[in-house]
Every structure is written in structure tokens, then in C-alpha cells.
Amino acid sequence: MSIRNGDIRRGVGLALQTGNKQLQRDCAVLLENMKQLVEAAMLYEKSQSHDKAAALYIRTKNWVKVGELLENVTSPKIHAQYAKAKEADGKYRDAARAYEAAKDYDSVIRVNLDFLQNPDEAVRVVRETQSVDGAKMVARFFERLGDFSSAMQFLVLSKCGDEAFAMAQAHNQMEQYAEIVGDEASEDEYLAIAEYFVGDKRLFNAGRFFLKAGQHTKALHNFIHPTSSDDGRSIEMAIEAVGQAQNEQLTYQLIDYLMGETDGVPKDAKYLFRLYMALQQFREAARTAIIIAREDQNSGDVTIYPLFLPWTSFVLYSLFLSYVQHG
């Protein structure tokens, strides 16, 4: 009754003395309706109505009391209001924590990048939340630092594949870009990477990405081109491409290359064996294995002959497993 009669101080004192939380809340509501916000906030706090108390402390700009209550506040709106106030006051760490409690993750990222110079924390939040806009902010941050590999990674994460590709082109970072997109790229993206490597005369890499795009003819052309890698990797990849394609014309083209019909340089017969295995032509593979073994035996090289039986055993065992797997 004291509050209704205008004796606010006495009424608040009595409410505080009772220890009755429901009574304290009822009095707080009455005081709030009377625009007595300081006293209302005090009683809301005493009754453990933390969100209501914090909301009124914000209206009275009592940020110290808001800060004291935050760990018990559940309202994201209140955390966000506190965060904005702390950011305006230059208390950026407090702002970042409050933005995170408010689930305003893009603001957490922005504050860490623009004010705290803490990209590690920004990266953590991006990875945990998969925020597209946050990833863009992180990408721009790394771009300004000249760390194009990291920038491309976050551009890809933010679905800005075209921008990432353009950055790779501009800064000669296509191999890094290719690693970033990995096996998740589209056919068009793989083709764009392949064409870039063709223009850059890195034909082995061009072949790899034509193969990923399912362009087996172009892949084979680049793998067996005279300027492609000559350390065996190109031939292995050419075999993989033809094995996937199961195309008779491509098969004959690769056989001609392995036999030396294309460039006058016969390749090691083991590659022909591997081609037949990839094509599941096991009879031809067996015949080739026998020819290889006989050539090694007839060469008279004492360093090769002791390896003949183990190698032949390995080949026969591989053929046996293939027959079992493929019928």
C-alpha cells in the first residue's frame, strides 16, 4: 500500500525486508508502470528476475549493474544492447564476449578483426558457425595482409568461388586454390582450373583437373603430351583416365603411346600391364606379365633375376584377386 500511496522509499524498503520474491516482483511491476525505473530494477534484481532487472538498468544506463547481471541473463537482446554500449565505449573485449552471448557472431568476428586484431578468434567463430558473411570478412582481412591462400580459403567457405578463382589467377596461386576446393568443386570449376594450367603450360596439372571434370579425352591429351611430366606420374594418370573412360579409341591411343608409336620411345612394359589391369583385360595383362618376366630373365642381369620370382608371384596374386573380385 505504501507504494500505491506514493511513499515509494518506505514501500521498497518493506518489500526488500520481506524476502518474498513474488511480492518483490509485483512491487517491481507496479514501480515500472509508475516510471520509477531505478527502484523497479532493484526489486526485479532482488527477486532474481534478472532479464527484467537488466532491461531496466539498460534504460537507466547503469552499465555496471548490467555487467554484474549478465551471467544470469538469458535474453540475446539484452546481451546485444550491452555489447553495443561496450563497443561504443571502446571496451572491445567485453563487447566481443557480449556479442557472442547474444549469438551475433558476425559482430564477434568484426570486432576481433577490426579492433582486437585477433584473427585466430575470428577464424574460430567462422569455423564453428559457418557464417558466410563472417567468412567474407576474414577473407578480406587476410587479403589486406597479402595472405592470399588464407583469403581464398575463406572466400570459398563464403560461397564466393568466382572471387577466389580470380584471386588465384591474379596472384599465381592456382595450385593452392585447387587444394582448397579439393573434391567439392563443380565440373565447371574443375574445367576452369584445367584451362588455367593449359595456358600456363603445366600440362600434368591440366590433365589432373580435366580428369576430375570427367573430360577423359582432354585429360589423356595433356598427360601424354611431350611437354608433360616424364617421371612416370603422367603415364600413371593417363592409365587412370583411360580406365575410367572405358573408351576403345582412347585405349588404342594410349597403347600406341606406350608402344612408342607416337614419339618413337617405347615405354616400360609395366605400364602396359597396368593399363590392361585397369581395363580388366586380365588375359592381356597375364600375357604382358609373362613377356616382362621373360625379358628380365633373358637379359642376364644378375641383379634383376633374383627379383623375377617374387615379382611374378605378385603379378599372379594380383590377377587372382582381380578374377575373384570381377568374376
Side-chain angles (χ1 to χ4, degrees), residues 16 54 72 98 107 157 198-199 206 223 230 247 264 318:
L16 290 171
N72 295 310
S107 291
L157 185 61
V198 169
F223 286 137
D230 61 358
N247 178 284
S318 298

Side-chain angles (χ1 to χ4, degrees), residues 246 274-283 285 322-323 326:
Q246 296 290 312
R274 290 174 185 169
L275 172 61
Y276 287 133
M277 290 293 288
L279 295 170
Q280 299 177 26
Q281 295 180 12
F282 301 121
R283 291 183 184 278
S322 297
Y323 275 123
H326 301 286

Side-chain angles (χ1 to χ4, degrees), residues 19 41-42 46 110 115 151 156 199 246 251 261 285 287 292 314 323:
M42 188 187 309
K46 193 67 176 177
R110 176 180 54 78
F115 300 110
V156 170
Q246 296 290 312
T251 299
E261 299 294 331
R287 291 192 189 100
I292 294 171
F314 168 74
Y323 275 123

Side-chain angles (χ1 to χ4, degrees), residues 30-327:
L30 182 60
L31 287 164
E32 184 179 2
N33 290 334
M34 295 171 65
K35 309 301 183 186
Q36 302 298 314
L37 303 185
V38 173
E39 293 80 2
M42 188 187 309
L43 286 178
Y44 276 132
E45 180 182 0
K46 193 67 176 177
S47 68
Q48 297 183 345
S49 300
H50 299 113
D51 283 21
K52 291 289 292 182
L56 292 188
Y57 282 133
I58 286 174
R59 290 174 65 182
T60 59
K61 302 193 183 305
N62 190 340
W63 299 110
V64 173
K65 292 298 292 183
V66 177
E68 291 174 359
L69 292 175
L70 273 187
E71 62 178 304
N72 295 310
V73 169
T74 59
S75 167
K77 181 180 178 181
I78 292 173
H79 283 284
Q81 288 176 301
Y82 181 77
K84 289 176 182 176
K86 285 298 173 182
E87 183 179 352
D89 199 32
K91 302 294 176 61
Y92 299 117
R93 293 190 188 281
D94 291 340
R97 283 193 291 268
Y99 278 129
E100 188 155 14
K103 296 181 172 53
D104 184 354
Y105 299 115
D106 288 346
S107 291
V108 179
I109 295 162
R110 176 180 54 78
V111 169
N112 273 284
L113 293 176
D114 293 351
F115 300 110
L116 297 175
Q117 298 298 304
N118 188 358
D120 290 343
E121 180 65 8
V123 167
R124 176 192 69 80
V125 176
V126 169
R127 293 196 186 284
E128 288 182 3
T129 65
Q130 297 293 296
S131 165
V132 170
D133 289 336
K136 287 181 185 177
M137 285 188 275
V138 172
R140 300 304 174 213
F141 177 86
F142 284 121
E143 184 179 13
R144 290 193 296 271
L145 293 180
D147 184 352
F148 300 113
S149 180
S150 296
M152 288 187 296
Q153 180 180 347
F154 286 96
L155 282 173
V156 170
L157 185 61
S158 64
K159 315 300 182 187
C160 297
D162 290 344
E163 289 184 51
F165 182 82
M167 186 179 292
Q169 279 185 307
H171 300 286
N172 194 27
Q173 301 271 321
M174 194 59 68
E175 289 191 32
Q176 291 87 335
Y177 171 73
E179 287 182 13
I180 290 166
V181 298
D183 295 327
E184 304 301 320
S186 67
E187 180 179 323
D188 287 343
E189 287 172 323
Y190 286 136
L191 286 173
I193 295 171
E195 295 293 355
Y196 171 86
F197 283 128
V198 169
D200 205 36
K201 303 193 185 308
R202 287 188 273 176
L203 302 187
F204 174 74
N205 283 339
R208 285 173 53 217
F209 288 96
F210 278 128
L211 183 57
K212 282 179 176 287
Q215 299 283 328
H216 300 104
T217 301
K218 290 184 177 181
L220 178 62
H221 170 76
N222 283 277
F223 286 137
I224 66 176
H225 193 277
T227 61
S228 192
S229 171
D230 61 358
D231 60 0
R233 292 185 303 158
S234 287
I235 299 177
E236 296 285 2
M237 293 300 294
I239 292 170
E240 182 177 339
V242 172
Q244 286 184 19
Q246 296 290 312
N247 178 284
E248 190 173 275
Q249 184 177 353
L250 294 184
T251 299
Y252 288 141
Q253 187 178 346
L254 181 54
I255 290 173
D256 285 346
Y257 174 75
L258 295 177
M259 299 295 289
E261 299 294 331
T262 305
D263 56 6
V265 182
K267 310 304 180 291
D268 192 315
K270 69 182 180 184
Y271 293 120
L272 191 59
F273 166 76
R274 290 174 185 169
L275 172 61
Y276 287 133
M277 290 293 288
L279 295 170
Q280 299 177 26
Q281 295 180 12
F282 301 121
R283 291 183 184 278
E284 295 299 326
R287 291 192 189 100
T288 304
I290 293 169
I291 292 170
I292 294 171
R294 284 175 178 168
E295 287 179 353
D296 287 347
Q297 184 181 18
N298 294 334
S299 69
D301 189 336
V302 294
T303 63
I304 295 177
Y305 184 66
L307 300 176
F308 165 67
L309 287 176
W311 192 89
T312 305
S313 298
F314 168 74
V315 170
L316 292 174
Y317 180 62
S318 298
L319 288 168
F320 169 74
L321 287 180
S322 297
Y323 275 123
V324 169
Q325 292 171 359
H326 301 286

